């Protein structure tokens, strides 16, 4: 999902309050500071975020297809041994275009989901009183971020269902609109949202592990003066993407199964707990790690690009900021800024 690239491109125009090094502080600091990116207007930030999301999906989509196929393997589908075997089997037996089936659904979601993200984020911050610049509102920003992510997922989830159904082996849907019509006719509108609770819950381990890993690895790789540069940001970002993808994979398997239930002989699930119990009983705990290789490979480059871009933009902005104040602070770590 284009989530991590969104972290780069404009979340909030924040007043810099004095900040401590509190662990939990770091998460909101990242969410907050990025909005200073050249003081992008909302329209620009939204479009930049949406285009970054689209580019990420286009480049990484074949891996996403492989992940979906591996997570949804059933008695009626080919048996894929690993990422390479799956990709080469799809290309050889179905054709290269099948790696991109359903890509339009996720591109269609990019602009509306980003528009909703920014609108909810700003509205929530206003409601929670954190849009005035007196100091630093961790809880309000974190809550606004959570609300915005839930709203974003509410837009993306129905199109993600369409995307995954088109990615399935031997999918009988002719395209996005045909798929939407068939789901409405056969399963009803609730099929588009059956996986929504799982999606929301999945963000918790993904985001927490992602941010914690990034900060930890970045700190570990910094030099004796505590400085870190682009190679460290790339390495820490890749590690964060890998760990976030790895720990959230079991819930991602459940999400995929709920979204493609009933296809290719896969069972129907009444919800998250029923899906977990059924998968455990019928396939064992190993099933929850299916597709983890593809998921880790998907998030590593996207998070590495995201974080290094983010840090570069932050450095660029802090230099501008220092210039305005007629003193040059060569320490790039945001924790040392107390403007």
């Amino acid at each position: 999902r284009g989530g991590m690239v969104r972290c780069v491109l404009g979340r909030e125009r924040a007043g810099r309050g004095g900040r401590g090094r509190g662990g939990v502080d770091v998460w909101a600091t990242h969410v907050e500071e990025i909005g200073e990116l050249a003081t992008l207007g909302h329209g620009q930030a939204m479009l930049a975020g949406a285009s970054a999301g689209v580019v990420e999906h286009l480049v990484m989509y074949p891996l996403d297809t492989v992940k979906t196929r591996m997570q949804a393997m059933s008695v009626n589908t080919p048996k894929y041994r690993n990422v390479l075997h799956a990709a080469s089997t799809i290309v050889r037996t179905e054709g290269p275009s099948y790696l991109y089936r359903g890509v339009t659904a996720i591109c269609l979601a990019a602009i509306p989901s980003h528009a909703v993200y920014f609108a909810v984020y700003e509205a929530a911050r206003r409601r929670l009183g954190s849009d005035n610049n007196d100091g630093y509102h961790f809880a309000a920003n974190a809550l606004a971020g959570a609300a915005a992510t839930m709203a974003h997922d509410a837009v993306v989830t129905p199109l993600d269902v369409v995307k995954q159904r088109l990615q399935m082996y031997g999918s009988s849907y002719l395209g996005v609109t045909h798929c939407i019509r068939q789901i409405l006719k056969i399963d009803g509108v609730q099929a588009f949202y059956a996986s929504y609770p799982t999606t929301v819950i999945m963000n918790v381990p993904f985001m927490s592990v992602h941010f914690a890993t990034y900060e930890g690895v970045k700190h570990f790789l910094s030099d004796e003066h505590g400085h870190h540069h682009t190679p460290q940001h790339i390495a820490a970002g890749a590690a964060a993407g890998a760990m976030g993808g790895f720990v959230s994979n079991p819930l991602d398997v459940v999400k995929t199964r709920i979204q493609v239930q009933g296809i290719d002989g896969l069972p129907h699930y009444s919800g998250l707990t029923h899906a977990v119990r059924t998968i455990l009983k019928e396939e064992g705990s190993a099933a929850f790690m299916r597709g983890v290789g593809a998921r880790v490979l998907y998030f590593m480059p996207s998070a590495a690009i995201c974080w290094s871009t983010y840090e570069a933009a932050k450095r660029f902005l802090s230099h501008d900021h220092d210039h305005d104040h007629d003193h040059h602070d060569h320490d790039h770590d945001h924790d040392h800024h107390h403007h």
Side-chain angles (χ1 to χ4, degrees):
R1 33 174 308 167
M4 276 321 296
V5 171
R6 276 202 316 281
C7 89
V8 178
L9 292 151
R11 291 228 165 148
E12 159 181 352
R13 296 181 303 285
R16 283 179 186 267
R19 298 185 180 123
R21 269 191 176 279
V24 81
D25 216 29
V26 156
W27 183 80
T29 307
H30 283 307
V31 171
E32 234 202 15
E33 263 186 329
I34 201 53
E36 287 186 4
L37 266 183
T39 59
L40 283 176
H42 283 296
Q44 287 170 301
M46 187 191 88
L47 276 173
S51 9
V54 168
V55 170
E56 181 192 357
H57 283 304
L58 289 174
V59 173
M60 307 302 288
Y61 198 81
L63 269 175
D64 189 62
T65 299
V66 166
K67 185 206 71 168
T68 297
R69 292 284 189 98
M70 293 183 85
Q71 290 179 342
M73 276 195 295
S74 74
V75 286
N76 305 333
T77 62
K79 297 290 166 276
Y80 305 116
R81 289 194 300 274
N82 52 44
V83 175
L84 263 177
H85 177 247
S88 59
T89 305
I90 294 167
V91 170
R92 201 177 62 249
T93 60
E94 299 166 66
S97 67
Y98 275 77
L99 287 172
Y100 273 92
R101 253 184 87 96
V103 71
T104 45
I106 219 66
C107 292
L108 283 173
I111 291 182
S113 66
H114 281 81
V116 166
Y117 186 97
F118 283 98
V120 171
Y121 191 63
E122 288 305 316
R125 284 185 60 245
R126 274 197 304 278
R127 184 64 53 85
L128 295 161
S130 71
D131 59 341
N132 49 15
N133 286 345
D134 56 344
Y136 180 62
H137 308 262
F138 167 72
N141 291 327
L143 276 172
T149 303
M150 286 174 74
H152 168 272
D153 288 343
V155 176
V156 170
T157 297
L159 285 155
D160 198 57
V161 172
V162 172
K163 178 203 77 167
Q164 288 205 306
R165 288 189 176 212
L166 285 164
Q167 286 175 324
M168 292 289 283
Y169 174 73
S171 172
S172 59
Y173 304 109
L174 307 174
V176 173
T177 44
H178 180 247
C179 183
I180 293 171
R181 280 205 302 271
Q182 290 296 103
I183 294 172
L184 279 172
K185 197 167 83 183
I186 297 159
D187 305 309
V189 74
Q190 66 274 14
F192 289 111
Y193 279 98
S195 65
Y196 181 65
T198 312
T199 305
V200 170
I201 294 165
M202 185 171 71
N203 279 327
V204 178
F206 179 79
M207 292 311 259
S208 340
V209 171
H210 190 114
F211 281 102
T213 306
Y214 180 72
E215 288 302 323
V217 175
K218 187 174 75 168
H219 181 73
F220 177 74
L221 293 175
S222 56
D223 62 23
E224 65 273 22
H225 305 296
H227 295 174
H228 35 79
H229 305 287
T230 305
Q232 286 96 315
H233 300 150
I234 291 171
M243 285 303 289
F246 184 83
V247 297
S248 56
N249 198 75
L251 280 166
D252 195 51
V253 169
V254 174
K255 185 191 88 159
T256 296
R257 292 301 187 86
I258 291 172
Q259 293 190 167
V260 300
Q261 58 185 310
I263 298 178
D264 281 339
L266 286 168
H268 284 274
Y269 308 106
S270 59
L272 172 57
T273 46
H274 178 241
V276 170
R277 281 203 304 269
T278 310
I279 295 167
L280 260 179
K281 196 174 80 198
E282 294 180 1
E283 302 165 69
S285 55
F288 290 108
M289 290 321 273
R290 282 209 192 136
V292 70
R295 190 166 159 79
V296 164
L297 287 172
Y298 185 101
F299 283 116
M300 278 175 77
S302 68
I305 292 163
C306 160
W307 282 113
S308 47
T309 309
Y310 164 78
E311 296 279 3
K314 204 168 65 180
R315 201 152 57 230
F316 169 76
L317 289 166
S318 65
H319 273 289
D320 272 7
H321 206 77
D322 293 339
H323 196 67
D324 295 344
H325 285 70
D326 262 338
H327 69 89
H328 295 280
D329 171 8
H330 291 294
D331 190 345
H332 301 323
D333 191 328
H334 66 257
D335 289 311
H336 297 298
H337 283 292
H338 294 290
H339 296 304

